[in-house]
Amino acid sequence: MKKLLFAAAGVLALSLPAQDAAARPTIEELQKRAVLDDYEANVLFGYNIVMDSNRYAPRYAGNALRCSSCHLDGGTRPDGFPLFVAGVYPKWRAKNGVRNSLEMRIRDCFLYSLSGVMPPEEAPEVLAVSAYISYLSYGKSIGTPPQGWGVPTLPETGADPDPARGQAVFRRACTLCHGADGAGTAVAPPLWGFQSFNAGSGMNVVPRLAGFIWANMPMGAERSLTHQEALDVAAFLHIQHRPFDPREGRLRKLAEEIYHGLSRLFGARAPAAPTGR
Amino acid sequence: MSLLREAVPDLRWRRSVDVRREVAAGLVGALLVIPQAITFAYVAGVAPEYGLYCAVFVGFLASLLGNSPMVGGPNTAVSILIGLTVLPFAGRGSPLYTELVLALSLMVGFIQLLMWLGRAAALFRYFSPAAIIGIKAGVGVWLIASALEGATGMGPMTVKFLYEKFYIVLAGWQELVNPYATLVSGVTVAAGLLLRRRWRRSYVVLAVLIGSIVGGLVYGWLGPVDSDLELLGHVTLDALPFRIPTLGPPHWLFLELAIAPAIAIAILGLAQSLVIARDLKSTVAPHLDLHKEVFAQAMANALGPFFSSFAGSGSFNRTAIALEMGARTPLSGMVAALAVVLIAWLLGPVLTYLPMPVVAGVMVLVGIGMIQPRELRPMLNRIDGPVLLVTLFAVIFLGLESGILVAVTASVIFFVASASQVRLAISHQGEAEHIRVTGNLFYASIDRLAKHLHANPAAVTSLDLSRVPFRDATAMQLIERIQRERVRCGGKLEVVEEG
């Protein structure tokens, strides 16, 4: 009798890890379930926010994009800013010079990429997305960057990115979905203008944007552009009009402009404008 | 039959209504409730929309079903208790959390309906006013303490005792406190306290205005990252946020565990509403039916969750303001509820940039408003004082829920103590002794008389019970036993009832 019990326990113990790996329910399964526990409910909430930010996180979202506009396929596509990155956080980051938690990054994307209101660290929306990210990161190792993290870094092409050539590429390859004026269509989100990411977004950095475009755009014909074409079109997008970088205090900027204007008017030597922090 | 009459809206007030005054009072009420609704939603731990829904739907239903100018809607103490009750079961503000808040509110509504059937309005008469003032002051202390994180720009803390928070903040202020948030909340509170003397009605709105301007300047100067000021964000109101409260197994399990707090919330809500209602009955609305008022509050809370609203109750300060503006009928409450939708919609884009430290400032102001020396001072006599102090102490140090239990117990003890006072007037006519008893004779008050009668079993006594309106079985059995004892010992005990 005792032996039998031990044997049963052994079988159970052996089957546990395998069962565990299979036990992570897919999003579709979660959606179908009538009852969710707190974690699962948050994962689903996070997934919904990523797929339809304006509907599920209206409090903090600000433009026509959703997280999945850039974190493609709900954050599951390698080389398309995937979100299975819980294992690399917290990490040191140059943008603000401090250790960044995952929550910090999520808040940043609300502020810059969605050009919205920065949620507090413990906002339910932020916690839900971070639950979703840890769900996506299931099985990834901690400390090593996952395969397909971020976007590919394009090699040196030898020529500077040229917005003029980029405009030609844009007219040829992008207008069909993103519209001739870059304001988006029913099938694709806006690339610039007030409904797109703002100047402070991580997307507004030419090499990174080029990597994203090369690896993921035009959608359906990914990696069809040459590296140079991707860099050119990225430079073209970079010089377009978009919401200002919110890191700059608007009022201080205004006061500085007025000060410079006045000092030029009265011939005094204006001090060098403080450069970006 | 009378239950039916209480349950059906009574619109007779239509005949004698001064529409202009009621509408004016309603509009002012709507303007005042918006900062409170957002604040109390924050206190309850849900998105600001839910507080506004509560102001709209619970407020409207309570006025429609009731028969008084009492203004219902989100309430401080109820919101605090909701937050404390649900927090252990789900992450603050998560979808499950919100579902649990609504489920809890539904249960509170049903408990209150049961209380209505049990004629709670009569029972609540025994709730000592001193206890209610004690609870109110205690809730004020809680509110101020819960404002601490928001006011200093920190994340919410969960602590066992209130004073731990102050300790944590003092010990680690260099890392924890955001000076800009503290500045903004400080300005809001200071402005409110200064303006309160002059503008008793609207000082909260003015303080919000001033706080927001300072917040806007800081935010505009430094930007969102350097100032790290939290903003309210977009408030998106649905026109008709109809939903059926989700009740799956986790919700049922939660409800089972939350019965005690739900009862506490139900009592607290009704107790406050009834204090207001009784006040109104003795002043402007002599025909007010207390039972109907209980039904209105209970039904509003029971139906509220179907409109995404958490539980509320009558509001002291908003009712007082409505009265001051000349409201005399439920119309003002209904106008206020509907106007909230309009004003929140008009203010929407501005509300987005409302700094959260301003909301924390409002919490402090409301909290200070609940600790009123004017109310506390008359209570500090020998009879009310102990009840008040015990309740206040319990609310602050044991928590709201236990505090209410203590308040009920203290009220009962106080009531029993005052009801069990009997006077014995003893006179002698020759051999015979005559005792006239004044007071109630029952298990708690019989001791002195019994001791006296036992002392001399051979005496002849006539006991005059004509001034004893109430006597229980224990008392009568005891008197009979003494009568038998007297017969055995050669004495006599005669009960007389003449006038």
Side-chain angles (χ1 to χ4, degrees):
Chain A
M1 186 61 205
K2 231 178 192 169
K3 258 188 205 155
L4 205 73
L5 263 179
F6 274 123
V11 169
L12 251 176
L14 280 178
S15 63
L16 264 180
Q19 216 180 21
D20 226 352
R24 189 187 80 157
T26 63
I27 291 290
E28 289 75 38
E29 275 165 7
L30 287 182
Q31 279 167 333
K32 264 184 242 135
R33 279 214 206 142
V35 182
L36 298 173
D37 66 21
D38 196 22
Y39 171 68
E40 292 164 342
N42 268 305
V43 168
L44 199 57
F45 185 30
Y47 169 79
N48 287 333
I49 292 174
V50 169
M51 297 310 281
D52 193 348
S53 311
N54 273 308
R55 170 142 173 242
Y56 290 95
R59 197 168 166 193
Y60 301 114
N63 59 22
L65 303 188
R66 53 176 182 161
C67 310
S68 185
S69 299
C70 308
H71 303 285
L72 296 170
D73 299 340
T76 60
R77 190 190 301 183
D79 290 341
F81 292 121
L83 289 177
F84 39 73
V85 296
V88 295
Y89 283 92
K91 83 182 211 308
W92 200 89
R93 189 159 150 256
K95 189 163 176 173
N96 51 10
V98 289
R99 259 163 76 91
N100 274 225
S101 63
L102 193 53
E103 284 77 14
M104 192 68 212
R105 301 303 311 270
I106 297 169
R107 301 171 66 197
D108 279 359
C109 264
F110 271 106
L111 179 63
Y112 303 112
S113 298
L114 288 192
S115 199
V117 173
M118 189 160 179
E121 186 119 3
E122 64 288 338
E125 288 85 348
V126 172
L127 296 180
V129 172
S130 84
Y132 175 63
I133 289 176
S134 73
Y135 163 89
L136 286 182
S137 313
Y138 199 90
K140 300 272 185 292
S141 60
I142 290 191
T144 43
Q147 279 286 317
W149 187 31
V151 291
T153 311
L154 301 185
E156 283 289 330
T157 55
D160 279 345
D162 177 3
R165 278 190 315 238
Q167 183 169 27
V169 179
F170 176 78
R171 290 221 178 103
R172 171 166 58 80
C174 318
T175 45
L176 183 65
C177 297
H178 289 286
D181 52 357
T185 63
V187 297
L191 295 178
W192 65 80
F194 279 112
Q195 287 300 323
S196 192
F197 54 88
N198 64 40
S201 168
M203 204 61 153
N204 200 29
V205 177
V206 172
R208 199 183 283 139
L209 181 53
F212 176 83
I213 292 170
W214 179 77
N216 302 291
M217 295 289 149
M219 200 167 260
E222 294 87 356
R223 307 192 186 221
S224 62
L225 301 180
T226 65
H227 291 162
Q228 186 60 47
E229 282 172 330
L231 281 166
D232 292 343
V233 77
F236 172 66
L237 294 191
H238 183 72
I239 60 168
Q240 299 305 320
H241 172 74
R242 54 182 75 255
F244 63 86
D245 184 344
R247 267 169 301 181
E248 302 274 353
R250 285 285 89 185
L251 276 180
R252 186 172 57 189
K253 224 164 168 200
L254 189 73
E256 275 167 16
E257 308 265 276
I258 293 174
Y259 177 73
H260 286 298
L262 286 181
S263 39
R264 218 169 306 130
L265 207 68
F266 294 109
R269 262 212 7 245
T275 43
R277 294 161 307 108
Chain B
M1 198 52 223
S2 76
L3 287 188
L4 195 67
R5 206 178 52 238
E6 282 163 29
V8 174
D10 170 8
L11 299 178
R12 265 175 304 172
W13 52 261
R14 268 178 316 161
R15 289 194 217 126
S16 58
V17 64
D18 181 346
V19 176
R20 284 243 316 270
R21 279 195 163 177
E22 301 284 331
V23 169
L27 289 178
V28 170
L31 200 60
L32 292 174
V33 74
I34 287 179
Q36 291 191 6
I38 291 170
T39 309
F40 296 163
Y42 175 76
V43 170
V46 290
E49 286 88 348
Y50 293 92
L52 294 170
Y53 290 143
C54 178
V56 176
F57 292 99
V58 172
F60 184 82
L61 288 168
S63 287
L64 177 71
L65 296 169
N67 57 354
S68 75
M70 174 157 69
V71 182
N75 172 275
T76 339
V78 172
S79 305
I80 293 185
L81 260 184
I82 290 179
L84 290 175
T85 307
V86 182
L87 195 58
F89 294 91
R92 212 177 129 87
S94 69
L96 184 65
Y97 183 97
T98 308
E99 285 171 17
L100 293 183
V101 166
L102 295 183
L104 178 67
S105 302
L106 190 66
M107 181 153 80
V108 168
F110 275 99
I111 292 174
Q112 290 182 331
L113 280 176
L114 287 179
M115 289 179 168
W116 167 65
L117 288 174
R119 308 281 83 181
L123 281 179
F124 274 103
R125 268 209 309 261
Y126 300 116
F127 214 61
S128 145
I132 297 214
I133 289 174
I135 292 180
K136 221 174 116 185
V139 168
V141 174
W142 266 93
L143 199 61
I144 294 170
S146 4
L148 192 64
E149 294 104 312
T152 52
M154 305 163 43
M157 296 187 249
T158 322
V159 291
K160 191 134 181 84
F161 296 104
L162 281 186
Y163 44 81
E164 278 177 54
K165 274 192 185 177
F166 295 97
Y167 177 75
I168 293 174
V169 173
L170 283 182
W173 63 273
Q174 280 116 326
E175 288 104 70
L176 292 175
V177 171
N178 173 347
Y180 307 113
T182 315
L183 172 75
V184 173
S185 57
V187 167
T188 309
V189 173
L193 291 182
L194 285 177
L195 296 172
R196 195 160 69 136
R197 301 218 192 93
R198 183 89 170 62
W199 288 281
R200 291 216 60 88
R201 284 182 211 147
S202 48
Y203 73 95
V204 172
V205 174
L206 293 175
V208 167
L209 218 63
I210 294 174
S212 304
I213 290 172
V214 173
L217 288 177
V218 171
Y219 189 86
W221 192 261
L222 294 169
V225 181
D226 283 351
S227 67
D228 204 11
L229 273 188
E230 185 188 343
L231 302 185
L232 181 66
H234 309 276
V235 176
T236 41
L237 288 181
D238 284 333
L240 203 66
F242 184 77
R243 71 197 272 172
I244 293 173
T246 328
L247 287 177
H251 308 77
W252 285 115
L253 185 67
F254 161 74
L255 288 183
E256 223 173 291
L257 295 172
I259 283 186
I263 293 176
I265 297 173
I267 292 180
L268 198 58
L270 280 190
Q272 296 184 71
S273 304
L274 279 169
V275 169
I276 301 171
R278 255 187 285 149
D279 219 39
L280 292 174
K281 194 173 164 70
S282 62
T283 52
V284 298
H287 304 299
L288 187 149
D289 178 351
L290 291 179
H291 293 301
K292 191 173 176 61
E293 223 48 51
V294 171
F295 173 79
Q297 292 295 331
M299 204 61 196
N301 285 342
L303 291 179
F306 292 90
F307 299 97
S308 307
S309 315
F310 54 80
S313 88
S315 156
F316 286 104
N317 56 10
R318 278 178 279 130
T319 306
I321 288 159
L323 288 184
E324 221 175 288
M325 300 277 304
R328 291 295 175 271
T329 72
L331 182 63
S332 58
M334 292 191 247
V335 171
L338 296 181
V340 167
V341 182
L342 191 74
I343 297 180
W345 178 71
L346 285 176
L347 284 182
V350 185
L351 276 185
T352 303
Y353 295 97
L354 182 72
M356 289 308 273
V358 172
V359 172
V362 174
M363 281 163 78
V364 174
L365 286 176
V366 175
I368 291 175
M370 293 179 90
I371 311 169
Q372 295 229 343
R374 195 160 41 84
E375 274 178 6
L376 291 173
R377 219 171 287 124
M379 289 291 160
L380 291 178
N381 53 37
R382 257 192 45 230
I383 303 164
D384 298 309
V387 177
L388 174 82
L389 291 178
V390 165
T391 309
L392 185 59
F393 183 85
V395 169
I396 294 176
F397 290 97
L398 305 179
L400 255 178
E401 197 187 310
S402 327
I404 292 162
L405 220 67
V406 169
V408 172
T409 319
S411 305
V412 169
I413 291 175
F414 170 74
F415 182 72
V416 169
S418 58
S420 61
Q421 273 173 2
V422 279
R423 272 216 331 274
L424 306 179
I426 304 172
S427 55
H428 292 273
Q429 291 157 343
E431 281 296 276
E433 182 191 32
H434 183 85
I435 305 179
R436 194 168 72 196
V437 186
T438 315
N440 294 317
L441 279 183
F442 64 113
Y443 61 90
S445 65
I446 189 78
D447 279 2
R448 232 177 88 216
L449 180 65
K451 209 162 134 205
H452 182 84
L453 292 178
H454 272 308
N456 189 357
V460 175
T461 308
S462 77
L463 190 63
D464 178 0
L465 295 188
S466 58
R467 301 202 177 179
V468 180
F470 171 81
R471 46 200 96 156
D472 75 344
T474 318
M476 294 324 284
Q477 276 163 9
L478 198 82
I479 290 175
E480 274 166 36
R481 213 162 51 230
I482 294 173
Q483 274 175 330
R484 284 198 297 275
E485 188 189 61
R486 291 260 166 124
V487 172
R488 247 184 292 123
C489 302
K492 190 171 170 215
L493 176 63
E494 191 186 12
V495 174
V496 287
E497 300 265 5
E498 88 263 13

